[in-house]
């Protein structure tokens, strides 16, 4: 898709604007991830909603506000982490992304992961979790570290929007963020790498 020389998040963002590989592009604006390029923790949601589509930024609507609160509850802010989505465009009426849309958008997510090189990936909800483990259910796997490789751990958490519809999930999300913090501390994972540690 792209020449593999000197790819940066900025070049990725520019290339995504020109891309025509997913039909959702006909009705929505591209939304790439954003955040700290040195982050060790990467959050992955499902797909942009209306506010994200309008502003071209991930998680800036109601679910994003709750995500900010959850991050703050463990002493983090969005500036510390990297936040992205499986699908790079808003599906019509915020419907679930189709398997083909997830497949078409996947290379962008993989390039973001390759650039950020996170140590911990937090899939928010079943669509993002399915990218890494097809047989794990978010209902049973949430709040528990799942080893992907020696270098990368997947730490699934329910999607913040789920708690906006089902208030009973709010506390579960807070508890899972606390478990994430504990995992980071016990694994000695810093919030960000030193800018000098990697040439990205
Ligand atoms: N829900 C998502 O999955 N992603 C966003 O960016 C916003 C809401």
């Amino acid at each position: 898709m792209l020449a593999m020389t000197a790819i940066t998040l900025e070049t990725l963002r520019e290339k995504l604007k020109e891309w025509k590989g997913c039909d959702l592009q006909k009705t929505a604006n591209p939304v790439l991830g954003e955040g700290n390029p040195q982050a060790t923790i990467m959050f992955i949601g499902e797909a942009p909603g209306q506010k994200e589509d309008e502003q071209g930024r991930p998680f800036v609507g109601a679910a994003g506000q709750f995500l900010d609160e959850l991050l703050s509850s463990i002493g983090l802010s969005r500036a510390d982490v990297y936040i992205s989505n499986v699908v790079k465009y808003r599906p019509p009426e915020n419907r679930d992304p189709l398997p083909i849309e997830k497949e078409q958008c996947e290379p962008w997510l993989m390039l973001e992961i390759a650039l950020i090189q996170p140590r911990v990936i937090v899939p928010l909800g079943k669509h993002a979790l399915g990218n890494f483990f097809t047989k794990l259910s978010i209902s049973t796997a949430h709040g528990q570290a799942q080893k992907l490789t020696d270098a990368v751990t997947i730490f699934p958490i329910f999607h913040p929007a789920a708690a906006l519809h089902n208030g009973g999930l709010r506390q579960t999300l807070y508890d899972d963020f606390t478990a994430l913090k504990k995992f980071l501390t016990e694994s000695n994972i810093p919030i960000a790498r030193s800018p000098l540690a990697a040439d990205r």
Side-chain angles (χ1 to χ4, degrees):
M1 176 170 44
L2 300 173
M4 291 306 286
T5 51
I7 295 180
T8 63
L9 288 169
E10 271 325 298
T11 55
L12 220 54
R13 206 177 305 285
E14 289 310 308
K15 294 284 174 193
L16 179 60
K17 285 185 194 157
E18 297 160 13
W19 187 59
K20 304 262 184 288
C22 174
D23 276 354
L24 291 174
Q25 156 269 334
K26 292 180 184 156
T27 53
N29 297 306
V31 180
L32 196 75
E34 66 175 29
N36 183 354
Q38 311 295 339
T40 55
I41 313 161
M42 179 167 177
F43 289 82
I44 303 176
E46 180 179 319
Q50 184 178 356
K51 284 263 185 308
E52 289 76 21
D53 180 60
E54 284 166 8
Q55 295 185 32
R57 298 179 55 209
F59 281 97
V60 289
Q65 274 176 19
F66 187 36
L67 179 58
D68 288 349
E69 280 175 37
L70 290 160
L71 286 168
S72 160
S73 76
I74 58 166
L76 296 179
S77 77
R78 333 171 40 111
D80 295 317
V81 301
Y82 190 83
I83 302 177
S84 193
N85 280 305
V86 174
V87 168
K88 303 308 185 196
Y89 308 88
R90 178 192 183 199
E93 311 299 328
N94 295 345
R95 65 155 167 71
D96 274 10
L98 303 174
I100 182 72
E101 293 159 354
K102 292 192 270 188
E103 200 180 300
Q104 288 166 334
C105 288
E106 190 179 12
W108 296 100
L109 182 62
M110 292 304 130
L111 285 167
E112 288 178 284
I113 293 173
L115 281 171
I116 300 295
Q117 296 176 35
R119 304 236 342 240
V120 181
I121 295 177
V122 181
L124 296 168
K126 65 178 179 182
H127 293 282
L129 177 59
N131 235 285
F132 303 98
F133 295 109
T134 49
K135 293 200 170 133
L136 277 189
S137 144
I138 190 76
S139 309
T140 50
H142 72 92
Q144 296 156 48
Q146 319 279 341
K147 183 173 165 176
L148 183 67
T149 66
D150 283 346
V152 181
T153 297
I154 305 294
F155 200 99
I157 291 185
F158 281 113
H159 195 291
L164 302 180
H165 305 125
N166 170 3
L169 275 184
R170 270 183 84 85
Q171 191 55 48
T172 307
L173 272 142
Y174 278 109
D175 293 346
D176 286 356
F177 268 72
T178 303
L180 170 63
K181 172 82 174 177
K182 185 163 178 272
F183 172 76
L184 295 171
T185 306
E186 287 175 357
S187 311
N188 281 324
I189 297 178
I191 298 311
R193 338 167 180 264
S194 149
L196 301 176
D199 180 19
R200 282 177 291 149

